[in-house]
Amino acid sequence: MQPVATLRELPAGDIAAMLGYAPKSGGEPLAGRVIVAPVKIGARLSTLELIDEAGRKSALAGGAKAGGYWAAQPLPEGDGTGLRLLIGEGVSTALSAAVASKCPTVAALSCGNLESVARTMRERYPAATLVVLADLGNGQDHAEQAARSVGGMLALPHFGPGRPSEASDFNDMATLCGIGATAEAIARAAAPDVRCDPVDPAGGVIWADPQPLVAAFESEPYPIDALPPVIQAAVAEVQGFTKAPVPLVASSAVAAVSLAVQAYVDVERSAGLTGPVSLFLLSIAESGERKSTCDRFFTAAIREYERESNEASKPELSQYSADHKIWESKRAGLGDAIKRAADKGGTAELETKLRELEEQKPTRPRVPRLFYGDATPEALTHGLADTWPSGGVLSSEAGSILGSHAMGAESQMRNLAILNLLWDGTPQSFDRRKEGGSFKVDGARLTVALQVQEATLRSFLDRTGDLARGTGFLARFLVAWPESTQGARPFTESPATWPALSAFHRQSAYILSSRPPLNEAGGLTPALLTMTPEAKAEWIKYHDAIERELSAGGELRDVRDVASKSADNAARLAALFHVFEHGVGGAIGRDAFEGASRIAAWHLHESRRFLGELALPPDVSNASYLDAWLVAYCCRERTDRVPRREVQRHVTPARLRHKAALSQALRDLAEAGRVQEVAEGKRKDVLVHPALISGDAK
């Protein structure tokens, strides 16, 4: 293709030097010459699409890509009268189509973004003829829906009977068939009612393109540039070494900040709307993503603070232990004396002494204990009440929080309620059934940062039914569902120095160097942070934008439980960022809130991606579970078929092992072109579409 005015080209090294990091695709840094395509939302530049010589793509970290487009030429003015505007998926498709048709063309940059861009173009050009350019295969359904949504036309590339298996878009057609044939195919655009199902040219089993089971939300890059500079630099440094997914590394860093800061401040969103700054974070990822490693990197200064505090408190604890034994001896002695005197009827003086002694009971020194590992909610609450009122559960094994399979509904409800109240900072009283006595948790703060495997989380949600969402438990979490980086993590020597991480640790240690404000009962009395008028105006804008989407027909209606907590979490993040940058004093500024709101919005999008599937009808949900299990089995066993008997014995969830449910799910997958059932004698196998196993389809 020839150069156009809306593209630039730079060496990958120059781009890395400008950005301060090397853009990557699938864990591999872009290399060689890199095409730079500006992506706009409306008239505003929102991010950059970066494409290297090998066709690998990346986007500017933190930029918004959803709803954005790249134009192959400056777009015309007017309402679109007499205009024929083309909308394709990728940059190369848009370039080829623009050259072939001589029509203005934009690229949506992903099939899932086609409808959003089509609607944007329709709003901008109400009188124009819009033509959506389909990629054959996985993107075709998206193109058809985009065309329908704006009353547009659909154009399909045509390759004839000798179509290579990898050929799918108009750039492929221009390369293989020529510009003239490409122009003719675009000119034949019609209403979106035509399908083009390719055939495997190698013969054998004939497959149509696999169709998606549900409309999925595209993942978005984590907005790392929204983090305060010290946190951002440390995240980049740790991620560069561990090669863990960026959202997982960032969540570990933010969890450490929450744990360090939560005892010192609360945040005021508005008059009467105040609360803790503690965060609950949930990363949905498979084992081996190195969350524990990342947690250790970011919590090193906090763990050292805990160790030093415990060491310094040893003399005080020893004194308390001796005083408590003496007190217990006196109490036991008075108790015995009262029993002996009771027979003689003269216990008044002894009773007075016992009451006085109760008031002299030694108080256990408050010694920081911040890490609880996999403690149960009961152990957490007692530790927060008796040992130290600020703590955290940072774990790559979420079993203690999510509960076991054997746990009954009553226990699950109690545990979820306890954790909800700890997130809210609400006082709670407890009776210790086994040990006897009671205690109260008041003025306590808890950070939770968990990694859980997708299958484990789905099992928990199945097991708890409506409890996890109905009680608002899951809504309190900042969810991340990152793509795995396993398989793309070549060995890297540990850096000799860690300047960015060291700065992060210094800031954590500085915050922890002052003792948190405690009341006489040992509970926290955090300072109250307010927002500047500018920051509060941004918070109100964020709150109201979400609220509008909670009504019937709104984009967030299906996840309104999560969305309703997003403004609260944004305020918490803003307070944490402010304290980490500027200390406890002052008011939260606009910059801190804007960064926090971008991160809260990203986590809300992640919740929509994951929880959207949970609202599906049972038949669709079963098909989705079966599809994921079959693909995972084939990838693990390096095969394209699974004996049906094997499926029925081992598929998860267990409800799919019932013959009727399994048969229905297999029929649904077959109708979507994702599997085929074949029989050889008495043996029945389930064949899985090759594109699903290779990762070329979703």
Side-chain angles (χ1 to χ4, degrees), residues 130 159 231 287 406 423 439 451 554 560:
L130 301 184
F159 297 91
I231 304 175
S287 179
W423 185 85
F439 64 92
Q451 178 180 318
R560 55 190 180 276

Side-chain angles (χ1 to χ4, degrees), residues 607-679:
S607 291
R608 290 182 71 196
R609 283 207 308 132
F610 183 75
L611 295 175
E613 188 177 311
L614 299 179
L616 297 174
D619 286 352
V620 179
S621 178
N622 282 347
S624 180
Y625 281 124
L626 178 58
D627 184 76
W629 187 88
L630 289 169
V631 171
Y633 180 97
C634 289
C635 291
R636 183 177 67 250
E637 302 297 330
R638 298 185 179 182
T639 183
D640 64 349
R641 66 183 60 210
V642 188
R644 176 161 174 155
R645 185 171 57 182
E646 183 79 4
V647 180
Q648 193 146 5
R649 285 178 177 174
H650 300 294
V651 67
T652 55
R655 65 174 183 265
L656 276 169
R657 297 172 194 168
H658 297 289
K659 186 176 181 180
L662 177 59
S663 296
Q664 180 60 55
L666 285 170
R667 283 195 294 272
D668 292 340
L669 293 181
E671 288 176 6
R674 300 176 79 86
V675 305
Q676 295 184 33
E677 284 196 83
V678 296

Side-chain angles (χ1 to χ4, degrees), residues 2 7 53 121 136-137 143 149 151 216 247 324 334 380 403 411 466-467 480 522 558 604 624 652 675 678:
Q2 296 301 311
L7 286 179
E53 294 177 18
M121 293 298 113
L136 300 182
S149 71
H324 192 266
L334 280 172
L380 277 174
S411 296
D466 295 331
L467 283 179
D558 290 340
L604 177 56
S624 180
T652 55
V675 305
V678 296

Side-chain angles (χ1 to χ4, degrees), residues 304-336:
E304 180 63 17
Y305 161 77
E306 184 183 68
R307 188 195 65 77
E308 290 178 351
S309 297
N310 278 268
E311 190 67 28
S313 299
K314 282 183 177 179
E316 193 177 1
L317 287 170
S318 296
Q319 182 66 43
Y320 162 76
S321 179
D323 290 345
H324 192 266
K325 288 177 181 177
I326 294 169
W327 178 85
E328 284 186 325
S329 297
K330 290 181 178 179
R331 186 174 184 272
L334 280 172
D336 291 340

Side-chain angles (χ1 to χ4, degrees), residues 107 347 407 475 540 622 692:
T347 63
M407 184 178 290
I540 293 172
N622 282 347
L692 300 176

